[in-house]
Amino acid sequence: MHKQRAFIGHHGPELLDDGTTRFRIWAPDAQNVSLIVVGAQTLPMTANEDGWYSIDAPYGAGTLYRFLIDDELQVPDPASRAQAGDVHAPSLVVDTSSNYLWRNPNWLGRPWEETVLYEMHVGLYGGFAAMEKHLADLAELGVTAIELMPIAEFPGDRNWGYDGVLPYAPEAAYGSPEELKHLIDTAHGLGLMVFLDVVYNHFGPDGNYLGRYAKHFFRHDQQTPWGDGIDFRRREVRDFFIDNTLMWLLDYRFDGLRFDAVHAIPDRSFLTELAERVHASVEPGRHVHLVLENEDNRASLLTAGFTAQWNDDGHNVLHALLTDESQGYYADYHQDATTKLARFLGEGFIYQGQNNRRGEARGEPSGHLPPTSFVLFLQNHDQTGNRAFGERLVSLADADALRAATAVLLLSPMVPLLFMGEEWGARQPFLFFTSHHGELADAVREGRRNEFAEFADFADEATRERIPDPNAVSTFENSRPDFSARQEPGHAEWYALYRELLSIRHREIVPRLQGARFLESRVLAQAAVLSRWQLGDGSRLRLELNLSTQAAPLPTALINGELLFASREATHAHDQLAPRMARLYLEKAT
């Protein structure tokens, strides 16, 4: 067992050696601030420079407290380490240095090349403690890293997590800080890394009081889809989020973070400073990975301290080819899809400065990056849950074509991400759910339905009324995967496929990934391409992929190689690739 020293940041309570606690808050627009100790007393705080208020008070771990702004508004600590209930409840002083004794203190993570990510929603598993029961099965399958959707405290007890308002506090409905650490510790004992999705581009609509006492936390001249942008030009704001990153990595020992929608963070210098601070703070030899979601395809960030980016381009073109969907953003990928498929497999991003359907230039050149700079997926919370009825891909695509695409997902040199239940072909939907109340609940429900008004299938109001109410408990419950179905007919076959492909990946691909690079990708026929990657040991990986319903011609001068996997039996001549088929070959170095 190992006790570690707590990370001390600029924001939030600090336990002092004499048993007291230093409380502090940045409230530059408050005239005065007091500390309310629940069940004890109210103490005036000292006004310091630059809008800070602080007090050293004779209270320790377990203390419940609030801040009183201008003698009229009680608020939780915006850097609360835990809440005694929901976002409006008192904050809780947590002794992060002694509240958990680590069983695997020498865990240093795993190299990025070994990563196979598995995205999970903690609430649908029943909380931190209940999620632990599934970790051994994931490790045995071949997953090497779990990725938790956001867990920062949000209003209510059902939410995707992107409505968080207290970024430092693990959601109370999921369990305590100690239970979160136990989950991470258990994962490390099984050889699993643990990643966390964090949201630094906005706060949720209920429970964020910063605008009342720290108006300049936001900039009113810059709008995001969620309202005023966050003002990352300010030192206090930068530290708020960078300290939050360091808390998750140092106090909780997460192995990596996924940063949500950084295209809504226009200040690039904040992102590069964050990466620099992280790499300077972790202990030598420890593997920590920083992953981006970025619609702008800013490839340059992937050489500025960030490990990889979610490859929405890759998902979108594969989805368009598998389903023939062309509405919304799929319109950018449905047209000339085969050429775009070849570009994604040969260079990473599809949009590298080209104009999208709105005539807007998007992206930066990416072919110089290693393939491992891209996280590839066929499904995730966004791509499934942002469908009106949350259908999974197994219900939308031809089974043979989906098996071929799954081979690309798990055997290409890009880093794969699976979405919970995908590996056994789960058919339960993943729906958009929240637990708002009153007018906000009405606004979220109607806003959700109106999002689909531009789609032909939802043009009439009666059809949109069928879209599940995000606030209904049934919407949440219907999204829970049936974990018992894995070995049932129709599901066991998918599970066996994922197990086989991950075994091949770990045996043949992962040991050769360091130093891998893109080599070539060419169109064979409609929805059919041939791609090759140079691997780190000098060998080459060749993909022959045909997602169409017609056989595709193959070049006559292909180099012989070891067949690693074929998604179905060959039914055509040796110079043709059967419909809806993928084959991967390893061309050994001479």
Side-chain angles (χ1 to χ4, degrees):
M1 298 290 188
H2 174 79
K3 183 189 297 185
Q4 67 181 46
R5 184 174 179 82
F7 166 72
I8 304 299
H10 299 79
H11 295 261
E14 178 185 354
L15 283 166
L16 304 177
D17 291 339
D18 60 3
T20 64
T21 299
R22 178 166 297 155
F23 297 89
R24 54 198 165 198
I25 183 173
W26 185 57
D29 295 301
Q31 298 304 308
N32 63 79
V33 180
S34 298
L35 172 71
I36 299 175
V37 179
V38 177
Q41 58 187 145
T42 298
L43 302 169
M45 300 178 72
T46 300
N48 302 307
E49 293 182 357
D50 301 322
W52 285 94
Y53 289 82
S54 67
I55 186 174
D56 292 356
Y59 300 97
T63 299
L64 297 176
Y65 69 101
R66 287 186 172 102
F67 294 122
L68 178 63
I69 307 296
D70 294 339
D71 300 317
E72 62 181 21
L73 177 65
Q74 295 187 25
V75 300
D77 188 339
S80 167
R81 273 23 180 206
Q83 287 293 103
D86 206 6
V87 295
H88 304 289
S91 299
L92 177 69
V93 177
V94 176
D95 184 355
T96 54
S97 65
S98 63
N99 69 336
Y100 185 78
L101 297 176
W102 293 90
R103 296 166 294 158
N104 297 286
N106 298 320
W107 170 263
L108 294 176
R110 300 181 67 154
W112 178 244
E113 290 80 9
E114 297 179 3
T115 304
V116 175
L117 288 158
Y118 189 92
E119 188 182 24
M120 312 170 81
H121 184 277
V122 177
L124 291 176
Y125 280 80
F128 300 131
M131 181 177 275
E132 281 192 34
K133 301 172 184 176
H134 298 268
L135 299 184
D137 286 342
L138 292 174
E140 195 271 337
L141 174 66
V143 169
T144 63
I146 62 171
E147 180 173 314
L148 309 184
M149 289 177 64
I151 61 171
E153 188 72 55
F154 51 74
D157 55 8
R158 303 181 308 278
N159 200 290
W160 274 16
Y162 300 92
D163 286 337
V165 293
L166 298 173
Y168 288 75
E171 169 59 37
Y174 295 166
S176 67
E178 295 91 334
E179 287 174 312
L180 173 57
K181 289 183 177 182
H182 196 275
L183 168 67
I184 296 167
D185 203 6
T186 299
H188 290 168
L190 293 166
L192 292 169
M193 295 183 284
V194 187
F195 285 65
L196 178 64
D197 194 343
V198 294
V199 183
Y200 293 166
N201 51 59
H202 76 286
F203 292 87
D206 180 19
N208 172 30
Y209 296 95
L210 283 164
R212 166 61 178 80
Y213 57 82
K215 296 176 183 177
H216 296 293
F217 204 99
F218 305 94
R219 51 185 304 180
H220 312 299
D221 62 333
Q222 194 172 77
Q223 294 297 301
T224 75
W226 309 281
D228 289 344
I230 294 172
D231 193 351
F232 289 98
R233 298 170 300 181
R234 295 186 174 272
R235 181 76 264 159
E236 296 84 358
V237 175
R238 285 185 175 228
D239 286 339
F240 184 85
F241 291 107
I242 292 174
D243 286 354
N244 182 251
T245 291
L246 293 174
M247 181 201 74
W248 292 125
L249 295 174
L250 300 179
D251 280 356
Y252 286 88
R253 300 194 63 79
F254 279 97
D255 299 279
L257 300 176
R258 180 259 193 190
F259 297 90
D260 177 69
V262 300
H263 48 269
I265 301 175
D267 193 332
R268 174 177 172 142
S269 67
F270 161 72
L271 294 171
T272 54
E273 180 187 347
L274 182 152
E276 290 169 0
R277 290 271 301 275
V278 166
H279 295 303
S281 299
V282 298
E283 59 263 45
R286 184 178 169 198
H287 298 282
V288 167
H289 311 295
L290 306 179
V291 181
L292 299 173
E293 180 197 25
N294 189 351
E295 288 184 3
D296 291 341
N297 283 0
R298 294 171 70 180
S300 53
L301 282 171
L302 301 179
T303 57
F306 291 92
T307 311
Q309 179 178 314
W310 277 28
N311 196 347
D312 287 299
D313 280 1
H315 165 274
N316 292 348
V317 73
L318 286 169
H319 186 96
L321 286 164
L322 288 170
T323 66
D324 201 35
E325 293 182 6
S326 61
Q327 297 189 76
Y329 54 76
Y330 289 126
D332 283 334
Y333 301 89
H334 188 271
Q335 184 177 15
D336 201 16
T338 307
T339 299
K340 290 170 180 172
L341 175 67
R343 188 184 305 148
F344 138 65
L345 290 169
E347 301 177 39
F349 292 143
I350 293 172
Y351 283 90
Q352 303 179 39
Q354 296 88 346
N355 288 347
N356 61 17
R357 68 190 184 282
R358 298 189 180 96
E360 301 163 339
R362 172 174 167 243
E364 298 173 348
S366 61
H368 62 287
L369 296 169
T372 50
S373 295
F374 305 91
V375 174
L376 180 59
F377 44 86
L378 295 177
Q379 301 176 84
N380 64 29
H381 72 274
D382 268 332
Q383 308 297 350
T384 303
N386 281 331
R387 302 180 65 83
F389 297 107
E391 306 99 325
R392 291 170 176 264
L393 202 51
V394 71
S395 301
L396 302 171
D398 172 83
D400 284 337
L402 183 53
R403 277 190 283 270
T406 301
V408 178
L409 169 68
L410 297 182
L411 294 184
S412 88
M414 301 186 199
V415 169
L417 177 139
L418 285 60
F419 185 58
M420 56 181 186
E422 171 186 339
E423 73 277 19
W424 74 81
R427 291 184 178 270
Q428 287 79 23
F430 179 72
L431 300 163
F432 177 68
F433 49 80
T434 58
S435 48
H436 297 310
H437 302 283
E439 293 182 0
L440 179 57
D442 294 338
V444 168
R445 179 177 57 254
E446 294 310 310
R448 174 70 173 170
R449 290 171 176 170
N450 289 337
E451 284 179 17
F452 296 94
E454 66 178 88
F455 291 81
D457 292 344
F458 299 94
D460 65 283
E461 187 174 345
T463 303
R464 294 198 297 275
E465 288 293 320
R466 295 174 45 233
I467 296 174
D469 178 359
N471 297 291
V473 175
S474 59
T475 303
F476 173 80
E477 292 297 337
N478 290 339
S479 300
R480 196 188 302 276
D482 181 0
F483 300 108
S484 67
R486 194 178 72 194
Q487 299 303 331
E488 294 178 0
H491 296 289
E493 295 84 355
W494 284 108
Y495 193 76
L497 173 66
Y498 275 74
R499 181 195 295 274
E500 178 186 4
L501 289 171
L502 286 172
S503 176
I504 295 170
R505 180 178 188 86
H506 289 301
R507 184 178 68 249
E508 301 290 351
I509 309 298
V510 167
R512 298 178 166 95
L513 277 183
Q514 190 169 15
R517 60 183 176 87
F518 292 106
L519 196 58
E520 67 164 329
S521 190
R522 51 180 142 154
V523 172
L524 299 176
Q526 182 70 24
V529 298
L530 184 145
S531 302
R532 296 164 79 222
W533 299 272
Q534 182 82 46
L535 300 180
D537 67 347
S539 61
R540 295 177 175 182
L541 182 67
R542 183 173 85 236
L543 166 68
E544 300 169 4
L545 175 65
N546 181 8
L547 294 177
S548 79
T549 58
Q550 304 295 321
L554 287 168
T556 56
L558 287 176
I559 300 172
N560 290 330
E562 175 190 353
L563 178 64
L564 297 181
F565 181 78
S567 64
R568 54 180 298 198
E569 290 185 10
T571 56
H572 289 71
H574 70 279
D575 61 346
Q576 290 187 320
L577 184 62
R580 293 170 171 166
M581 182 176 185
R583 284 194 298 235
L584 285 109
Y585 290 88
L586 186 65
E587 303 170 356
K588 296 288 183 67
T590 57

PDB file of all heavy atoms in Angstrom, residues 238-253:
ATOM      1  N   ARG A 238      -6.603  30.016 -17.009  1.00  0.00           N
ATOM      2  CA  ARG A 238      -5.698  28.964 -17.488  1.00  0.00           C
ATOM      3  C   ARG A 238      -5.341  28.009 -16.353  1.00  0.00           C
ATOM      4  O   ARG A 238      -5.380  26.780 -16.510  1.00  0.00           O
ATOM      5  CB  ARG A 238      -4.418  29.590 -18.046  1.00  0.00           C
ATOM      6  CG  ARG A 238      -4.585  30.242 -19.394  1.00  0.00           C
ATOM      7  CD  ARG A 238      -3.243  30.716 -19.926  1.00  0.00           C
ATOM      8  NE  ARG A 238      -3.380  31.234 -21.270  1.00  0.00           N
ATOM      9  CZ  ARG A 238      -2.603  30.907 -22.292  1.00  0.00           C
ATOM     10  NH1 ARG A 238      -1.611  30.066 -22.119  1.00  0.00           N
ATOM     11  NH2 ARG A 238      -2.803  31.424 -23.481  1.00  0.00           N
ATOM     12  N   ASP A 239      -4.985  28.573 -15.204  1.00  0.00           N
ATOM     13  CA  ASP A 239      -4.594  27.732 -14.072  1.00  0.00           C
ATOM     14  C   ASP A 239      -5.752  26.859 -13.598  1.00  0.00           C
ATOM     15  O   ASP A 239      -5.537  25.725 -13.155  1.00  0.00           O
ATOM     16  CB  ASP A 239      -4.077  28.592 -12.921  1.00  0.00           C
ATOM     17  CG  ASP A 239      -2.693  29.161 -13.190  1.00  0.00           C
ATOM     18  OD1 ASP A 239      -1.979  28.601 -14.041  1.00  0.00           O
ATOM     19  OD2 ASP A 239      -2.334  30.167 -12.551  1.00  0.00           O
ATOM     20  N   PHE A 240      -6.975  27.384 -13.672  1.00  0.00           N
ATOM     21  CA  PHE A 240      -8.134  26.607 -13.253  1.00  0.00           C
ATOM     22  C   PHE A 240      -8.197  25.289 -14.015  1.00  0.00           C
ATOM     23  O   PHE A 240      -8.429  24.224 -13.431  1.00  0.00           O
ATOM     24  CB  PHE A 240      -9.403  27.427 -13.485  1.00  0.00           C
ATOM     25  CG  PHE A 240     -10.669  26.764 -13.011  1.00  0.00           C
ATOM     26  CD1 PHE A 240     -11.072  26.875 -11.688  1.00  0.00           C
ATOM     27  CD2 PHE A 240     -11.462  26.031 -13.884  1.00  0.00           C
ATOM     28  CE1 PHE A 240     -12.254  26.271 -11.241  1.00  0.00           C
ATOM     29  CE2 PHE A 240     -12.636  25.421 -13.457  1.00  0.00           C
ATOM     30  CZ  PHE A 240     -13.024  25.543 -12.136  1.00  0.00           C
ATOM     31  N   PHE A 241      -7.982  25.331 -15.319  1.00  0.00           N
ATOM     32  CA  PHE A 241      -8.101  24.122 -16.125  1.00  0.00           C
ATOM     33  C   PHE A 241      -6.814  23.303 -16.149  1.00  0.00           C
ATOM     34  O   PHE A 241      -6.860  22.065 -16.138  1.00  0.00           O
ATOM     35  CB  PHE A 241      -8.539  24.491 -17.540  1.00  0.00           C
ATOM     36  CG  PHE A 241      -9.956  24.998 -17.606  1.00  0.00           C
ATOM     37  CD1 PHE A 241     -10.215  26.341 -17.812  1.00  0.00           C
ATOM     38  CD2 PHE A 241     -11.028  24.136 -17.429  1.00  0.00           C
ATOM     39  CE1 PHE A 241     -11.519  26.820 -17.858  1.00  0.00           C
ATOM     40  CE2 PHE A 241     -12.342  24.609 -17.475  1.00  0.00           C
ATOM     41  CZ  PHE A 241     -12.581  25.947 -17.689  1.00  0.00           C
ATOM     42  N   ILE A 242      -5.666  23.965 -16.168  1.00  0.00           N
ATOM     43  CA  ILE A 242      -4.412  23.204 -16.152  1.00  0.00           C
ATOM     44  C   ILE A 242      -4.258  22.476 -14.824  1.00  0.00           C
ATOM     45  O   ILE A 242      -3.850  21.309 -14.783  1.00  0.00           O
ATOM     46  CB  ILE A 242      -3.215  24.136 -16.435  1.00  0.00           C
ATOM     47  CG1 ILE A 242      -3.277  24.637 -17.881  1.00  0.00           C
ATOM     48  CG2 ILE A 242      -1.894  23.390 -16.186  1.00  0.00           C
ATOM     49  CD1 ILE A 242      -2.221  25.673 -18.224  1.00  0.00           C
ATOM     50  N   ASP A 243      -4.591  23.129 -13.725  1.00  0.00           N
ATOM     51  CA  ASP A 243      -4.548  22.461 -12.421  1.00  0.00           C
ATOM     52  C   ASP A 243      -5.521  21.284 -12.383  1.00  0.00           C
ATOM     53  O   ASP A 243      -5.249  20.265 -11.750  1.00  0.00           O
ATOM     54  CB  ASP A 243      -4.885  23.442 -11.303  1.00  0.00           C
ATOM     55  CG  ASP A 243      -3.761  24.425 -11.011  1.00  0.00           C
ATOM     56  OD1 ASP A 243      -2.680  24.282 -11.602  1.00  0.00           O
ATOM     57  OD2 ASP A 243      -3.984  25.354 -10.203  1.00  0.00           O
ATOM     58  N   ASN A 244      -6.659  21.439 -13.039  1.00  0.00           N
ATOM     59  CA  ASN A 244      -7.614  20.339 -13.085  1.00  0.00           C
ATOM     60  C   ASN A 244      -7.015  19.131 -13.814  1.00  0.00           C
ATOM     61  O   ASN A 244      -7.129  17.984 -13.353  1.00  0.00           O
ATOM     62  CB  ASN A 244      -8.893  20.796 -13.793  1.00  0.00           C
ATOM     63  CG  ASN A 244      -9.950  19.721 -13.838  1.00  0.00           C
ATOM     64  OD1 ASN A 244     -10.227  19.171 -14.899  1.00  0.00           O
ATOM     65  ND2 ASN A 244     -10.533  19.396 -12.701  1.00  0.00           N
ATOM     66  N   THR A 245      -6.351  19.403 -14.938  1.00  0.00           N
ATOM     67  CA  THR A 245      -5.657  18.328 -15.662  1.00  0.00           C
ATOM     68  C   THR A 245      -4.653  17.632 -14.761  1.00  0.00           C
ATOM     69  O   THR A 245      -4.597  16.395 -14.698  1.00  0.00           O
ATOM     70  CB  THR A 245      -4.937  18.919 -16.891  1.00  0.00           C
ATOM     71  OG1 THR A 245      -5.902  19.346 -17.850  1.00  0.00           O
ATOM     72  CG2 THR A 245      -4.020  17.901 -17.533  1.00  0.00           C
ATOM     73  N   LEU A 246      -3.844  18.410 -14.069  1.00  0.00           N
ATOM     74  CA  LEU A 246      -2.803  17.823 -13.218  1.00  0.00           C
ATOM     75  C   LEU A 246      -3.403  17.060 -12.039  1.00  0.00           C
ATOM     76  O   LEU A 246      -2.859  16.033 -11.611  1.00  0.00           O
ATOM     77  CB  LEU A 246      -1.861  18.918 -12.736  1.00  0.00           C
ATOM     78  CG  LEU A 246      -1.019  19.578 -13.837  1.00  0.00           C
ATOM     79  CD1 LEU A 246      -0.230  20.754 -13.285  1.00  0.00           C
ATOM     80  CD2 LEU A 246      -0.083  18.566 -14.488  1.00  0.00           C
ATOM     81  N   MET A 247      -4.532  17.530 -11.500  1.00  0.00           N
ATOM     82  CA  MET A 247      -5.185  16.797 -10.416  1.00  0.00           C
ATOM     83  C   MET A 247      -5.585  15.401 -10.873  1.00  0.00           C
ATOM     84  O   MET A 247      -5.321  14.405 -10.193  1.00  0.00           O
ATOM     85  CB  MET A 247      -6.420  17.556  -9.932  1.00  0.00           C
ATOM     86  CG  MET A 247      -7.155  16.857  -8.777  1.00  0.00           C
ATOM     87  SD  MET A 247      -8.883  17.366  -8.595  1.00  0.00           S
ATOM     88  CE  MET A 247      -9.643  16.517  -9.992  1.00  0.00           C
ATOM     89  N   TRP A 248      -6.230  15.300 -12.053  1.00  0.00           N
ATOM     90  CA  TRP A 248      -6.652  13.977 -12.535  1.00  0.00           C
ATOM     91  C   TRP A 248      -5.450  13.065 -12.770  1.00  0.00           C
ATOM     92  O   TRP A 248      -5.488  11.867 -12.459  1.00  0.00           O
ATOM     93  CB  TRP A 248      -7.454  14.121 -13.826  1.00  0.00           C
ATOM     94  CG  TRP A 248      -8.791  14.776 -13.707  1.00  0.00           C
ATOM     95  CD1 TRP A 248      -9.233  15.872 -14.402  1.00  0.00           C
ATOM     96  CD2 TRP A 248      -9.881  14.394 -12.857  1.00  0.00           C
ATOM     97  NE1 TRP A 248     -10.518  16.184 -14.044  1.00  0.00           N
ATOM     98  CE2 TRP A 248     -10.947  15.296 -13.096  1.00  0.00           C
ATOM     99  CE3 TRP A 248     -10.066  13.372 -11.922  1.00  0.00           C
ATOM    100  CZ2 TRP A 248     -12.177  15.203 -12.433  1.00  0.00           C
ATOM    101  CZ3 TRP A 248     -11.291  13.279 -11.262  1.00  0.00           C
ATOM    102  CH2 TRP A 248     -12.322  14.183 -11.512  1.00  0.00           C
ATOM    103  N   LEU A 249      -4.366  13.623 -13.299  1.00  0.00           N
ATOM    104  CA  LEU A 249      -3.206  12.792 -13.635  1.00  0.00           C
ATOM    105  C   LEU A 249      -2.359  12.445 -12.420  1.00  0.00           C
ATOM    106  O   LEU A 249      -1.796  11.341 -12.345  1.00  0.00           O
ATOM    107  CB  LEU A 249      -2.345  13.506 -14.678  1.00  0.00           C
ATOM    108  CG  LEU A 249      -2.998  13.725 -16.052  1.00  0.00           C
ATOM    109  CD1 LEU A 249      -2.095  14.578 -16.922  1.00  0.00           C
ATOM    110  CD2 LEU A 249      -3.296  12.394 -16.737  1.00  0.00           C
ATOM    111  N   LEU A 250      -2.248  13.367 -11.455  1.00  0.00           N
ATOM    112  CA  LEU A 250      -1.346  13.153 -10.321  1.00  0.00           C
ATOM    113  C   LEU A 250      -2.069  12.586  -9.107  1.00  0.00           C
ATOM    114  O   LEU A 250      -1.576  11.648  -8.473  1.00  0.00           O
ATOM    115  CB  LEU A 250      -0.644  14.463  -9.963  1.00  0.00           C
ATOM    116  CG  LEU A 250       0.200  15.083 -11.089  1.00  0.00           C
ATOM    117  CD1 LEU A 250       0.836  16.383 -10.626  1.00  0.00           C
ATOM    118  CD2 LEU A 250       1.254  14.111 -11.598  1.00  0.00           C
ATOM    119  N   ASP A 251      -3.219  13.135  -8.744  1.00  0.00           N
ATOM    120  CA  ASP A 251      -3.944  12.635  -7.569  1.00  0.00           C
ATOM    121  C   ASP A 251      -4.659  11.322  -7.866  1.00  0.00           C
ATOM    122  O   ASP A 251      -4.671  10.412  -7.035  1.00  0.00           O
ATOM    123  CB  ASP A 251      -4.969  13.667  -7.088  1.00  0.00           C
ATOM    124  CG  ASP A 251      -4.331  14.764  -6.257  1.00  0.00           C
ATOM    125  OD1 ASP A 251      -3.117  14.679  -5.986  1.00  0.00           O
ATOM    126  OD2 ASP A 251      -5.040  15.716  -5.883  1.00  0.00           O
ATOM    127  N   TYR A 252      -5.285  11.239  -9.042  1.00  0.00           N
ATOM    128  CA  TYR A 252      -6.078  10.052  -9.370  1.00  0.00           C
ATOM    129  C   TYR A 252      -5.317   9.047 -10.233  1.00  0.00           C
ATOM    130  O   TYR A 252      -5.771   7.923 -10.407  1.00  0.00           O
ATOM    131  CB  TYR A 252      -7.373  10.455 -10.071  1.00  0.00           C
ATOM    132  CG  TYR A 252      -8.387  11.075  -9.134  1.00  0.00           C
ATOM    133  CD1 TYR A 252      -8.397  12.441  -8.881  1.00  0.00           C
ATOM    134  CD2 TYR A 252      -9.330  10.287  -8.483  1.00  0.00           C
ATOM    135  CE1 TYR A 252      -9.315  13.012  -8.016  1.00  0.00           C
ATOM    136  CE2 TYR A 252     -10.252  10.846  -7.615  1.00  0.00           C
ATOM    137  CZ  TYR A 252     -10.249  12.202  -7.384  1.00  0.00           C
ATOM    138  OH  TYR A 252     -11.167  12.755  -6.514  1.00  0.00           O
ATOM    139  N   ARG A 253      -4.192   9.462 -10.777  1.00  0.00           N
ATOM    140  CA  ARG A 253      -3.312   8.607 -11.566  1.00  0.00           C
ATOM    141  C   ARG A 253      -3.998   8.080 -12.833  1.00  0.00           C
ATOM    142  O   ARG A 253      -3.754   6.944 -13.269  1.00  0.00           O
ATOM    143  CB  ARG A 253      -2.728   7.473 -10.723  1.00  0.00           C
ATOM    144  CG  ARG A 253      -1.892   7.968  -9.540  1.00  0.00           C
ATOM    145  CD  ARG A 253      -1.035   6.885  -8.893  1.00  0.00           C
ATOM    146  NE  ARG A 253      -0.036   6.342  -9.788  1.00  0.00           N
ATOM    147  CZ  ARG A 253       1.113   6.923 -10.090  1.00  0.00           C
ATOM    148  NH1 ARG A 253       1.424   8.103  -9.568  1.00  0.00           N
ATOM    149  NH2 ARG A 253       1.975   6.349 -10.904  1.00  0.00           N
TER     150      ARG A 253
END
